[in-house]
């Protein structure tokens, strides 16, 4: 094992649950405001996963009022406090970019 693999192994977060594209997740993000730090929940549908190992990212899309918001998170980021899977979705694509063009609510079938 070379030096880069050792460094990468230390930075991987072991507390990340198993989730896929189409799942509804709640990501608790640490936000620093001045000297105080608080946790803010961000809940939405996972539309893509990208990368691997330490540099893996995932995109979460949520509706805020009538506006859709995409946010990209790093899986192993120290700013992420916790990831919770709310619902497991059954989709047939690796990237759900078509959700950006849909109007109204999004229906995704549940898987067991």
């Amino acid at each position: 094992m070379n030096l880069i693999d050792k460094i990468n192994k230390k930075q991987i977060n072991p507390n990340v649950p198993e989730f896929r594209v189409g799942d509804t997740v709640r990501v608790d993000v640490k936000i620093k405001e001045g000297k105080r730090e608080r946790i803010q929940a961000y809940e939405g549908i996972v539309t893509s996963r990208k990368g691997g190992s330490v540099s893996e990212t995932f995109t979460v899309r949520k509706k805020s009022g009538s506006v859709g918001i995409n946010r990209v998170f790093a899986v192993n980021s120290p700013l992420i406090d916790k990831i919770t899977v709310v619902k497991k979705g059954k989709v047939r694509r690796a990237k759900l970019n078509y959700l950006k063009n849909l109007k109204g609510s999004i229906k995704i079938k549940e898987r067991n």
Side-chain angles (χ1 to χ4, degrees):
M1 186 181 278
N2 62 12
L3 185 62
I4 294 173
D5 291 336
K6 288 180 183 177
I7 293 170
N8 285 347
K9 198 170 199 177
K10 287 181 188 175
Q11 293 180 352
I12 290 179
N13 186 1
N15 300 327
V16 176
E18 182 69 32
F19 66 94
R20 304 194 299 202
V21 173
D23 292 352
T24 302
V25 294
R26 180 181 299 117
V27 182
D28 293 334
V29 184
K30 294 177 188 173
I31 295 178
K32 196 166 189 176
E33 296 174 334
K35 295 179 182 176
R36 297 188 312 147
E37 189 174 281
R38 66 183 177 92
I39 294 176
Q40 183 178 27
Y42 191 91
E43 186 172 337
I45 297 172
V46 178
T47 58
S48 70
R49 284 187 79 154
K50 191 178 194 179
S53 184
V54 177
S55 61
E56 184 175 4
T57 61
F58 65 101
T59 305
V60 179
R61 180 173 179 82
K62 80 171 190 174
K63 294 277 279 193
S64 182
S66 62
V67 179
I69 301 168
N70 284 342
R71 187 163 174 190
V72 179
F73 296 101
V75 173
N76 298 303
S77 172
L79 296 177
I80 292 180
D81 184 49
K82 182 173 55 171
I83 299 173
T84 310
V85 178
V86 178
K87 244 189 333 187
K88 295 180 178 183
K90 182 180 179 183
V91 293
R92 298 168 75 179
R93 296 180 182 219
K95 306 271 193 267
L96 302 180
N97 293 327
Y98 67 91
L99 296 179
K100 295 175 188 174
N101 300 327
L102 293 179
K103 306 284 189 238
S105 65
I106 301 164
K107 293 230 175 183
I108 293 178
K109 292 181 183 178
E110 274 198 64
R111 67 178 160 85
N112 298 340

